[in-house]
Amino acid sequence: MRALSIYRDTTGSTLVLDDVPEPDLGDGDLLVQALALGVCGTDRELVARGPIWGTEQRNRLILGHESLGRVLEAPGGAEIGPGDLVVGIVRRPDPVPCGYCAVGQFDLCENGQYTERGILGRDGFGSERFRLEQEYAVRVDPALGLAGVLLEPASVVAKAWEQLDHVVRRARRRALVLGAGPIGLLAALLGVQRGLEVHVVDQVDHGAKPRQTRDLGAIYHSSMADLSGSFDAVVECSGVLVGEAIARTAPGGAACLVGIGAPHGAGTANLGELNLDLVTQNKLVMGTINSNRSHFEAAHQALRQVDRSWLEGLLTDRLPLTAWRSAFDTSPERIKAVIEFDA
């Protein structure tokens, strides 16, 4: 079968579409036919730096953590059966396990011995067929169609809003999202669903990003200078506006950092001034980048409540597997690139 694989050798890393063996039964009792694979910044970073296997030394990693597939085979009596649409949960708990992993909160793993499909220590979902354990499969409503591939990124912002909810319940209910990529627009979606006044900032002033924001009922800005006032909840999705996110957080409010930019892309901060701001203004700053089953389920519920045409509007680049290279190109106007295996 065909798969998108990252190879590493002495000269660097290479992403290729090659033939690989059928998935190993040890990866799960569900055999899944891949329908779509979302591509994000994490994938591009992995291609640039090469596969990560932890203590295991291998030179190939099957890429892909944003999945959508149809079950081909399942054990008799399983809750998920042939024909069901599924998305794979990405992280697997450590084998020890730590206290968090032992209670299903493996997104908060303390000792770092977890693995992640398509990212760290385990092959991903970027092959024509893959195996998946039932306990790490999330059944997807067929009404979502191809937009079901957004479930994994939506789970990350579902976790962010889980942490922010206690703030907006008692505040003026004004939210700011920095970055209008897929994570940012999904964060805006969940904010609008909570009845908040949501403002979104990104660098472009035309195209899909402003349109999707306005169709959602949120307010779009192409510059931080266009903003006025402070915000009870801020979700930083760009990785480069961390200082602005904290500065725009209202007293008693919270900022959740979701985006990761270049190592020095977020600028520098005076820790003394930052400490004074956080302490005297009672601000809370937190971060998140992954999720567990509860967040996938919350994301699924959120996606089912929005018009499918809006969700599909986020999929600005839908590419057949033969055109996979284009999915790794970047453009400020692009929202989400998706590779369709059956196109």
Side-chain angles (χ1 to χ4, degrees):
M1 64 176 182
R2 294 177 296 175
L4 287 169
S5 301
I6 312 174
Y7 286 89
R8 179 171 54 195
D9 56 28
T10 56
T11 62
S13 61
T14 306
L15 179 64
V16 300
L17 179 63
D18 64 351
D19 290 318
V20 300
E22 289 291 326
D24 192 295
L25 185 59
D27 284 337
D29 49 7
L30 300 179
L31 178 63
V32 182
Q33 175 188 355
L35 299 179
L37 185 75
V39 175
C40 73
T42 299
D43 300 306
R44 297 183 183 98
E45 181 183 354
L46 281 166
V47 172
R49 72 185 185 190
I52 303 173
W53 281 101
T55 58
E56 184 180 358
Q57 297 300 314
R58 291 178 58 178
N59 71 342
R60 188 195 76 201
L61 175 76
I62 295 178
L63 194 65
H65 61 281
E66 297 182 7
S67 64
L68 177 66
R70 178 176 290 108
V71 176
L72 297 175
E73 298 175 4
E79 292 186 5
I80 295 177
D84 284 341
L85 296 182
V86 292
V87 162
I89 295 174
V90 178
R91 181 168 286 194
R92 300 292 181 272
D94 66 80
V96 175
C98 75
Y100 284 113
C101 289
V103 295
Q105 294 181 301
F106 40 81
D107 55 308
L108 302 176
C109 180
E110 293 180 295
N111 60 23
Q113 296 184 44
Y114 59 84
T115 57
E116 293 178 322
R117 297 290 300 262
I119 300 176
L120 174 64
R122 295 193 64 175
D123 281 328
F125 306 120
S127 55
E128 290 182 294
R129 289 170 294 282
F130 57 86
R131 287 276 178 180
L132 189 60
E133 312 96 317
Q134 291 182 61
E135 61 267 35
Y136 296 105
V138 181
R139 185 189 285 113
V140 177
D141 187 340
L144 288 176
L146 187 67
V149 77
L150 294 168
L151 191 54
E152 191 279 335
S155 73
V156 176
V157 293
K159 178 181 174 182
W161 276 109
E162 177 185 75
Q163 298 173 11
L164 291 168
D165 275 343
H166 74 284
V167 174
V168 296
R169 284 197 188 104
R170 60 178 173 81
R172 291 172 294 137
R173 304 180 66 79
R174 198 164 180 250
L176 172 64
V177 177
L178 300 178
I183 289 285
L185 288 170
L186 290 168
L189 166 65
L190 270 66
V192 169
Q193 288 181 339
R194 284 162 167 74
L196 308 181
E197 176 188 306
V198 178
H199 294 251
V200 178
V201 178
D202 200 281
Q203 61 182 314
V204 300
D205 57 9
H206 64 278
K209 291 180 177 180
R211 181 178 66 249
Q212 289 293 116
T213 301
R214 293 167 185 145
D215 287 349
L216 192 59
I219 303 164
Y220 186 86
H221 308 269
S222 57
S223 170
M224 291 290 295
D226 296 338
L227 294 173
S228 62
S230 57
F231 299 83
D232 309 296
V234 179
V235 188
E236 206 295 312
C237 304
S238 72
V240 297
L241 296 173
V242 176
E244 288 85 347
I246 297 172
R248 289 285 180 173
T249 301
C256 188
L257 311 181
V258 181
I260 298 179
H264 304 292
T268 59
N270 182 306
L271 293 182
E273 293 179 358
L274 178 61
N275 177 69
L276 181 65
D277 184 28
L278 296 178
V279 172
T280 61
Q281 300 298 314
N282 295 289
K283 296 182 182 181
L284 176 66
V285 180
M286 64 196 81
T288 185
I289 197 172
N290 49 49
S291 52
N292 63 41
R293 173 173 283 279
S294 69
H295 306 124
F296 273 81
E297 292 172 348
H300 188 228
Q301 182 178 2
L303 296 186
R304 292 178 65 198
Q305 294 174 7
V306 68
D307 187 86
R308 175 171 164 179
S309 63
W310 185 86
L311 290 174
E312 292 188 341
L314 300 183
L315 311 180
T316 51
D317 296 77
R318 296 171 55 166
L319 304 160
L321 184 57
T322 53
W324 62 270
R325 292 183 187 276
S326 297
F328 293 85
D329 296 335
T330 58
S331 167
E333 291 79 20
R334 166 181 277 178
I335 299 178
K336 169 60 69 177
V338 175
I339 298 171
E340 296 186 66
F341 280 79
D342 58 351

